[in-house]
Amino acid sequence: MAFERNAEHFVGYVMQRPFLGCVSGVPLDQRTCDTWGDILNFQAHPEDILVAAYPKAGITWMQEIVDMIYTDGDTERCRRGPTYDRHPFIEAVAPKPVPSGLQLADSMKPPRILKTHLPVQLLPPSFWVQDCKVIYIARNAKDSMVSYFHFQRMNKGLPDPGNWEAYFSKFLTGDVQWGSWFDHVLGWWKAKDQHQVLYTFYEDMIEDPRREISKVMRFLGKDLSEEVLEKIYQHTTFQAMKENPMANYSTMPSFVMDQSVSPFMRKGIVGDWKNHFTVSQNITFEEEYKRRMEGRGLIFRTQL
Ligand code: A3P
């Protein structure tokens, strides 16, 4: 890979959780806000593929699937580097020596597989100008909230989540990095009618991963054999990715992601919210959910 992140690069480095700034009302890492002009000006290539999601919807899973489809099921090529080096995260800005998403993208030749958590209204316009294909993955809000809470606990690249009760309120009001789950899933839902956006659901992938992999393959204009599709499925199961250092973020230094606090590949199920939500939180949640989602035509499943 073009950039190295060996432990010696970080000797003496003290990791601090980031401050949040704001772009058009959306809370983002202050470092992203500071370079916002460059990010907005990102020049996509028509052959680039963008994988987009609200945090914790299963984007890493989708990235691995897309990489496998692009390499015609070449598992070795998909082990060429960790997820975060293979697929530039366009709005990511980390302390040196870690390259920014833009630097990483610039170091690669199209077609690139790019990643974003940006809400649709903040997407660099060149993706639309170039008519790029976008794969959006959405996950039900309850499981997204639980997964994001644990991720913020273990990932020092994000703000401290506080306790579960406090986090519950912050998530519902959108006072978290990348903003409101509601705005995100609804904004991209609308965009799919105007652009080349394949809107997928985490719950559908859990229910029938082979079906969803085939759907992504067709959207990307590929026609792979049943044998290759099976290889892609086997390579992207929860267990296979949990054991794959190039997909499980274990290569990220532990002072950034402390997997002893909570593993990146945590549970990978639908319905873990039932182990976290109190009865009264569930009532509060359902009221807010109804207020925001009723009549919008976007249906999520919170259990299978
Ligand atoms: P949990 O925390 O609920 O386990 P993202 O990649 O967007 O950060 O999302 C991470 C979530 O997707 C985590 O959810 C993780 O376990 C789950 N995930 C990642 N790969 C998966 C796979 N192959 N199958 C099922 N779930 C997966």
Side-chain angles (χ1 to χ4, degrees):
M1 303 301 297
F3 294 95
E4 297 286 336
R5 292 164 215 232
N6 297 331
E8 68 250 30
H9 287 129
F10 295 94
V11 171
Y13 180 72
V14 180
M15 183 74 191
Q16 281 176 339
R17 285 183 181 267
F19 292 103
L20 290 191
C22 193
V23 174
S24 304
V26 178
L28 295 173
D29 188 312
Q30 185 59 55
R31 291 171 295 219
T32 299
C33 301
D34 293 342
T35 51
W36 184 247
D38 293 338
I39 294 166
L40 202 59
N41 195 32
F42 174 74
Q43 295 304 308
H45 185 275
E47 285 173 21
D48 289 336
I49 298 295
L50 181 67
V51 185
Y54 189 76
K56 310 320 288 176
I59 201 167
T60 314
W61 189 7
M62 186 58 84
Q63 287 171 257
E64 201 64 33
I65 289 171
V66 173
D67 212 16
M68 279 292 278
I69 292 173
Y70 255 72
T71 58
D72 297 337
D74 188 336
T75 48
E76 281 320 301
R77 268 176 71 198
C78 290
R79 288 199 179 89
R80 67 193 179 282
T83 311
Y84 49 81
D85 278 342
R86 281 182 279 153
H87 308 145
F89 183 6
I90 56 171
E91 71 269 28
V93 185
K96 284 182 182 159
V98 180
S100 69
L102 296 185
Q103 285 172 319
L104 199 55
D106 281 347
S107 74
M108 292 179 182
K109 285 201 193 99
R112 301 165 292 189
I113 299 167
L114 305 165
K115 163 187 172 179
T116 189
H117 285 321
L118 290 172
V120 73
Q121 72 277 16
L122 296 186
L123 193 72
S126 72
F127 283 102
W128 302 143
V129 173
Q130 300 296 348
D131 199 22
C132 293
K133 287 184 180 170
V134 183
I135 300 169
Y136 186 78
I137 173 159
R139 186 182 194 180
N140 81 74
K142 291 179 176 179
D143 285 329
S144 294
M145 186 194 298
V146 169
S147 183
Y148 204 2
F149 171 66
H150 289 297
F151 190 54
Q152 287 194 218
R153 288 173 53 232
M154 65 83 90
N155 182 0
K156 300 227 176 49
L158 293 171
D160 190 322
N163 64 26
W164 168 247
E165 201 163 90
Y167 192 75
F168 177 85
S169 305
K170 277 194 278 196
F171 185 95
L172 271 194
T173 54
D175 187 17
V176 290
Q177 197 160 325
W178 290 287
S180 156
W181 177 91
F182 298 99
D183 293 343
H184 210 283
V185 297
L186 288 168
W188 279 98
W189 182 245
K190 214 167 158 196
K192 79 176 188 335
D193 299 330
Q194 290 136 18
H195 304 284
Q196 293 204 79
V197 177
L198 179 71
Y199 201 101
T200 66
F201 295 90
Y202 180 87
E203 294 75 22
D204 290 353
M205 294 190 26
I206 292 283
E207 182 181 63
D208 191 344
R210 290 180 178 88
R211 177 190 65 204
E212 297 305 304
I213 291 169
S214 295
K215 206 187 274 178
V216 174
M217 175 197 74
R218 285 194 298 275
F219 177 71
L220 295 177
K222 288 277 222 172
D223 186 14
L224 302 171
S225 68
E226 283 303 317
E227 199 185 330
V228 173
L229 284 172
E230 185 58 25
K231 207 169 158 193
I232 296 175
Y233 163 68
Q234 296 293 347
H235 179 80
T236 56
T237 63
F238 180 77
Q239 202 51 38
M241 284 183 58
K242 193 176 174 70
E243 289 164 13
N244 178 359
M246 295 301 145
N248 65 15
Y249 279 84
S250 59
T251 50
M252 190 64 95
S254 59
F255 62 79
V256 183
M257 287 192 186
D258 187 346
Q259 307 233 12
S260 69
V261 171
S262 179
F264 181 84
M265 299 290 299
R266 198 181 58 90
K267 288 196 178 174
I269 58 169
V270 179
D272 191 36
W273 62 271
K274 292 178 189 166
N275 299 314
H276 292 74
F277 278 47
T278 63
V279 172
S280 107
Q281 280 175 336
N282 201 35
I283 293 169
T284 307
F285 177 93
E286 292 295 343
E287 280 170 6
E288 181 62 4
Y289 195 82
K290 194 169 171 209
R291 192 179 76 77
R292 297 295 311 267
M293 301 293 284
E294 201 171 45
R296 309 300 290 267
L298 177 55
I299 309 288
F300 282 90
R301 292 185 287 173
T302 55
Q303 56 186 19
L304 292 180

